[in-house]
Amino acid sequence: MLRRRLRARARSDRGAALVEFALVLPFLALLLFGIIEFGWTFGQYLDVRHGARESARLTAVNYRSTAGATGAAQSAEIVAETCDRLTNPDESTVEISFDGAGSATGDPVTVEVTQGVSSLTGFLDPFLPTSLTSEATSRLERTATFTAVSAQACP
């Protein structure tokens, strides 16, 4: 008699774990994909910050890869070098501006790098930013021979 009751009870509990798992699975998947998306977006943000710092350093030392390049040509070289140092230069823009009096040694220069966010899963796109922006300011170590750049897209 006792055996029959235990067997009947065991049969009625079959599938309960599967139903409970099916109820919990969407929340677990959302949590897992959220962690993955956050990590991916944070990595992109670190790349944008690194690009802004690198570009600020290039402007501080009056970078030029071609001898004699000045003005807009030198600015284009700085932007191209900045874009080469970004992991994902697609949908990226670089802006260089002089703060204050001008472009003499010791004057501040600001670089702003903006990049579009790419998603891995797409599940959390409504909750993620559409673009990431980082700004870095440095003092010129040499008199600048380049010109200011207004939101130039990466080549």
Side-chain angles (χ1 to χ4, degrees):
M1 180 92 144
L2 182 60
R3 269 191 184 175
R4 276 189 245 160
R5 284 186 190 168
L6 289 175
R7 283 185 193 162
R9 187 169 190 206
R11 279 189 223 130
S12 66
D13 286 343
R14 282 188 185 169
L18 183 62
V19 171
E20 291 169 359
F21 181 71
L23 291 172
V24 173
L25 182 64
F27 299 110
L28 289 175
L30 184 64
L31 180 67
L32 178 66
F33 289 135
I35 291 170
I36 292 169
E37 283 291 346
F38 175 77
W40 180 253
T41 304
F42 188 68
Q44 291 177 59
Y45 174 68
L46 291 177
D47 185 46
V48 170
R49 285 186 58 189
H50 175 72
R53 283 192 315 269
E54 287 287 318
S55 186
R57 181 68 187 145
L58 292 173
T59 57
V61 298
N62 200 32
Y63 174 83
R64 66 180 100 185
S65 62
T66 306
T70 59
Q74 185 181 4
S75 297
E77 287 181 1
I78 292 171
V79 169
E81 186 65 26
T82 299
C83 293
D84 284 344
R85 295 179 185 200
L86 291 172
T87 304
N88 183 18
D90 299 338
E91 299 179 27
S92 297
T93 60
V94 179
E95 182 175 332
I96 302 170
S97 60
F98 295 105
D99 301 338
S103 58
T105 302
D107 288 341
V109 62
T110 300
V111 177
E112 183 177 290
V113 176
T114 303
Q115 183 179 25
V117 175
S118 64
S119 175
L120 284 178
T121 63
F123 288 130
L124 301 173
D125 282 352
F127 305 105
L128 295 175
T130 56
S131 66
L132 301 168
T133 302
S134 183
E135 188 176 283
T137 302
S138 65
R139 298 220 176 260
L140 294 171
E141 295 176 8
R142 299 179 182 173
T143 301
T145 56
F146 57 87
T147 59
V149 175
S150 176
Q152 184 176 346
C154 283

